[in-house]
DNA sequence: TTAGTTTATTAAAACGATTTAGCTAAGGAG
DNA sequence: CTCCTTAGCTAAATCGTTTTAATAAACTAA
């Protein structure tokens, strides 16, 4: 079938061992045999079988990205940038990337949280594991990995405890920036269009909203906080509720960009001038807010950075370095 | 180190062969040994080493996605949906996905077009190859794959000739839809904001623009065609040029959404009413056009479908089925 | 009883590389 | 001349499975 090291050896008139030595550049060989081997390999178009190499070396140089995200969610719409940078960073270190998404098939059956991590690790196929999750992860779900000393890094969640590396985004800090920005623009009647209660990020952004108002001595108005579900339509509905309150808020901090866009649409339909009458600021940094009229300020999540740092942490962990817990700041863009 | 089949065999008091037979469900074993083996495997938490299995079986069940795209481009911004569906479809068939992007490292050195395809194929690591490319691919670049009978499918480009499967999008047809839509709305002064000359898709969309006008007996005005580079800013510049022409066009067909958005912005700044004074329609179906004011009609590229069909073609090809050339229609959404 | 068949199990080969340990020949030191 | 070193090469073991062919035991049929 395909060309093996034996074929090269035969053609070059040497042993397979010699071929291996020449092609891997280890050990000593005479200039003459080196040439013979290289020519033979060239002529036959020989490529080493990576599987065989992996078996004997005991490593595949592949890392696995396990994405636990909602089905409907596009892995890439949001995490595309993350994957790009992750891929770039690990490929530079000589690793390959394999991706598996929750609900999809791995080793025969659909990947689901519990069973997966440990099995995959034990599988011994991968050098390391990147765990990207939308839902909080409990220490017990990764303690086996820690025990086996299997390199992994958690992305987008924080898991305290020994032996765990993670990189997460500072939603609290980012949200504080957003609210501060509005306050510094002179707003005092600031509403918050919050995300679902069960969503950790929504909760953090909400906390930041409350804390920042308190920091500046601005009284909290309960009716200024309306809950949405992160989708545009819920932003519309929430905005409609807000517009019935008097005094009208002069600013809205939306917990994500989609809801901010919904709010903007309703406001415009009512003839309310964005920025002048009501300021709106979102969160996430999706592309669409650049193209609304007017464009909306937003708190940009450093998703690319997330991928890059995840790669760095993982590679360090593979090399036996220490685990690290990193929280990346986000910044507000207008 | 890790648990091997020998460990299981020893604990169960049988030979490794028996363990393999039990765990793979082939061959006959007594109920008694089956139990012993299963218990031992369970107890030790045994997982077969996939690398070893792959070596002996001669297949890794992994397919490789080779993305030849521009560096700055986000693999995922545009192709996210594609990858999602591709991944879903192949994982259902029991295959894993590995991704490598142009410019990133593969097997030691940065992946670049020529060398790559054949080498990778010969590598024997992968069951099949999905080639996603932004640039036209010449038959000679894949003829080696054809010769070696290595399963592959080309996505986003058309390569005529024997032994080649591809799935592409009907840019010409989609663009025709767009122009027809404008004509049916009563427009006769239709401008075209075309993409760069060297870009195949831009060229096809341009051809469709010309052909459709001719079909309807509408005279072509050379000055109504302005070239941009697919970026928003060039859409702005082009629109500014168009607005100096008299008679003013009453409609603009932009070769992509970003340019359409740029055009929209300029028009709005000049106080021109979109739809009433000037209709604009874009191409691509990016999310942002849903949130402009007003939202723009666009020709949606079925990127998810592209991924799904690619997977189907590839799997069929792996199974020894015949090659197919498929062109997917796009549809206009308002 | 004997030959033939079926059943349950396993020894050993294979997959294709890498790596270890050893061998030969040549060169150098005494 | 002998001993030691070194350079250059290779035979054979190894990685962890799967699979083939063989074996032993048990059962069937005549």
């Amino acid at each position: 079938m395909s060309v093996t090291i034996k074929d090269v050896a035969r053609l070059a008139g040497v042993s397979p061992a010699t071929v291996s030595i020449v092609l891997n550049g280890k050990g000593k060989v005479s200039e003459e045999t080196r040439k013979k081997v290289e020519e033979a390999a060239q002529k036959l178009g020989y490529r080493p079988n990576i599987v065989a190499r992996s078996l004997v070396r005991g490593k595949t140089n592949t890392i696995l990205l396990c994405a636990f995200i909602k089905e409907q969610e596009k892995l890439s719409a949001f995490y595309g940038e993350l994957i790009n940078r992750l891929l770039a960073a690990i490929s530079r270190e000589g690793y390959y990337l394999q991706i598996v998404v929750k609900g999809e098939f791995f080793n025969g059956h659909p990947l689901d949280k519990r069973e997966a991590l440990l099995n995959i690790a034990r599988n011994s196929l991968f050098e390391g594991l990147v765990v990207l999750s939308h839902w909080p992860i409990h220490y017990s779900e990764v303690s086996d990995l820690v025990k086996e000393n299997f390199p992994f890094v958690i992305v987008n969640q924080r898991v305290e405890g020994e032996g765990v590396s993670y990189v997460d985004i500072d939603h609290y800090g980012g949200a504080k920036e957003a609210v501060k920005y509005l306050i510094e623009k002179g707003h005092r009647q600031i509403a918050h269009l919050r995300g679902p209660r069960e969503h950790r990020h929504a909760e953090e952004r909400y906390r930041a909203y409350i804390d920042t108002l308190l920091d500046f001595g601005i009284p909290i108005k309960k009716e200024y906080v309306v809950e949405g579900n992160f989708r545009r339509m819920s932003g519309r509905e929430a905005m409609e509720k807000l517009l019935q309150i008097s005094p009208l808020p002069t600013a809205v901090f939306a917990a994500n960009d989609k809801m901010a866009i919904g709010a903007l649409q309703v406001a415009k339909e009512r003839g309310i001038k964005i920025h002048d009458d009501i300021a709106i600021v979102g969160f996430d940094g999706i592309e669409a807010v650049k193209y609304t009229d007017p464009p909306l300020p937003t708190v940009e999540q450093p998703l690319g950075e997330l991928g890059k740092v995840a790669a760095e942490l993982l590679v360090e962990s593979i090399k036996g370095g220490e685990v690290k817990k990193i929280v990346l700041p986000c910044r507000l863009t207008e």
Side-chain angles (χ1 to χ4, degrees), chain A:
Chain A
M1 257 292 115
S2 70
V3 181
T4 76
I5 200 169
K6 279 187 193 166
D7 301 319
V8 179
R10 199 174 310 126
L11 180 60
V14 298
S15 78
T18 305
V19 176
S20 175
I21 289 166
V22 169
L23 265 32
N24 288 293
K26 338 188 152 177
K28 323 206 159 191
V29 267
S30 72
E31 202 46 49
E32 190 189 3
T33 26
R34 145 159 293 114
K35 268 232 180 78
K36 274 193 301 183
V37 169
E38 276 167 354
E39 273 168 14
Q42 175 75 41
K43 191 160 172 191
L44 298 178
Y46 169 72
R47 295 272 126 191
N49 179 324
I50 294 189
V51 176
R53 171 185 286 173
S54 295
L55 181 59
V56 62
R57 289 205 177 145
K59 48 190 279 196
T60 58
N61 273 22
T62 303
I63 78 139
L64 179 70
L65 169 61
C66 257
F68 294 102
I69 60 179
K70 290 184 208 119
E71 294 269 339
Q72 17 97 283
E73 246 170 352
K74 286 139 201 181
L75 171 61
S76 19
F78 202 70
Y79 292 113
E81 186 62 16
L82 192 161
I83 294 177
N84 268 333
R85 298 287 295 277
L86 180 73
L87 187 54
I90 66 165
S91 89
R92 199 154 297 123
E93 295 281 333
Y95 294 103
Y96 305 126
L97 180 66
Q98 204 161 311
I99 301 180
V100 77
V101 179
K102 173 174 182 292
E104 276 157 22
F105 290 70
F106 191 86
N107 242 351
H109 32 240
L111 177 70
D112 201 1
K113 203 166 210 163
R114 314 278 158 190
E115 51 177 336
L117 293 179
L118 178 62
N119 288 357
I120 288 167
R122 285 237 186 87
N123 239 336
S124 86
L125 189 64
F126 302 105
E127 310 299 296
L129 205 52
V130 177
V131 183
L132 171 63
S133 178
H134 241 47
W135 301 276
I137 297 179
H138 193 265
Y139 186 80
S140 64
E141 296 176 75
V142 293
S143 58
D144 285 327
L145 290 170
V146 175
K147 253 183 245 149
E148 301 219 353
N149 213 12
F150 190 88
F152 73 104
V153 55
I154 290 173
V155 179
N156 212 37
Q157 297 295 338
R158 302 177 200 178
V159 177
E160 305 304 338
E162 220 164 321
V164 181
S165 283
Y166 67 70
V167 50
D168 192 25
I169 284 175
D170 186 9
H171 299 269
Y172 180 83
K176 268 200 134 168
E177 288 299 312
V179 180
K180 247 194 257 174
Y181 162 85
L182 292 171
I183 293 174
E184 279 161 9
K185 286 251 173 186
H187 294 282
R188 288 298 176 271
Q189 320 284 349
I190 302 174
H192 179 41
L193 224 162
R194 61 159 297 165
R197 265 166 207 294
E198 64 277 15
H199 200 295
R200 207 201 83 211
H201 298 166
E203 204 58 40
E204 280 185 30
R205 294 170 198 175
Y206 168 71
R207 273 203 303 115
Y209 161 78
I210 297 289
D211 291 354
T212 314
L213 291 189
L214 292 178
D215 286 352
F216 283 81
I218 301 175
I220 313 281
K221 284 208 190 114
K222 228 180 155 186
E223 64 272 28
Y224 273 3
V225 177
V226 186
E227 182 171 338
N229 63 5
F230 276 156
R231 315 181 77 138
R232 186 177 57 92
M233 281 312 287
S234 80
R236 292 187 61 99
E237 288 158 16
M239 191 62 172
E240 271 158 12
K241 277 187 207 153
L242 282 180
L243 291 181
Q244 288 162 10
I245 299 171
S246 112
L248 272 182
T250 63
V252 176
F253 165 47
N256 80 337
D257 285 336
K258 294 236 166 146
M259 292 199 297
I261 289 173
L264 169 134
Q265 291 175 333
V266 168
K268 279 179 72 177
E269 286 161 22
R270 303 287 172 89
I272 297 171
K273 288 248 179 303
I274 310 299
H275 290 332
D276 299 341
D277 298 339
I278 284 194
I280 299 179
V281 44
F283 202 114
D284 277 355
I286 67 174
E287 211 180 5
V289 294
K290 290 194 241 166
Y291 306 127
T292 53
D293 178 31
L296 293 176
T298 185
V299 178
E300 230 174 299
Q301 296 197 47
L303 294 169
E305 194 69 9
L306 207 57
K308 188 181 145 225
V309 173
E312 288 167 0
L313 291 189
L314 185 58
V315 169
E316 194 170 329
S317 172
I318 291 173
K319 289 184 178 158
E322 52 190 325
V323 303
K324 281 188 190 152
K325 302 185 199 302
I326 292 184
V327 175
L328 299 173
C330 2
R331 72 173 217 291
L332 189 132
T333 59
E334 300 194 48

